[in-house]
Amino acid sequence: MAEQYVGKTAELKEGDRRIIFAGDNEIGVFRHEGQFYAYSNFCLHQGGPACEGLTIAKVEERLLPDKTSQGLYFSESEMHFVCPWHGYEYDMKTGECVSDRKLKLRSFEIFKAFDPANQAALLETIDELISADGKVHPAEARFRDDVQRLLAAP
């Protein structure tokens, strides 16, 4: 499949989604926890618009050791999106149907391209890459500084 422009990173805020068309594919693109996820907008149940319904945290029941319920709570780690036709829920990070994890929406790879007009986005991307392991190594810091000097040069 050919690459398809979705938009500038800054245009898709945390929690936003965008439906795009790429050839014969209708694709839902989500931004969640700073990451981008893209899935087919064709629900596995009956073909509804899978990516166009609610986004909601997974609902979990907390049980005591004797199996007594402490009530229902929203998950702090798992987000879902819901097909508006019949309520099929999908895991935001995997595209799996949460009621049957063997079913999974087709996913699409997201690429971040450099926009010369947006130097801040380049530096943000470099920061994401060099701090992926939680540490900034001296060589990585020098690289970032070198890129910043090149961008500032006339």
Side-chain angles (χ1 to χ4, degrees), residues 60-64 68-76:
E60 301 174 322
E61 184 172 21
R62 295 191 186 149
L63 300 174
L64 294 172
T68 304
S69 176
Q70 287 190 299
L72 300 175
Y73 297 85
F74 288 114
S75 171
E76 294 179 16

Side-chain angles (χ1 to χ4, degrees), residues 72-107:
L72 300 175
Y73 297 85
F74 288 114
S75 171
E76 294 179 16
S77 62
E78 190 171 325
M79 183 63 77
H80 295 170
F81 57 97
V82 183
C83 177
W85 280 13
H86 303 106
Y88 261 48
E89 288 187 40
Y90 297 94
D91 185 306
M92 181 75 69
K93 292 181 180 177
T94 66
E96 295 172 337
C97 178
V98 298
S99 62
D100 183 352
R101 298 259 178 194
K102 291 178 290 196
L103 300 175
K104 186 175 180 179
L105 291 172
R106 179 179 176 196
S107 63

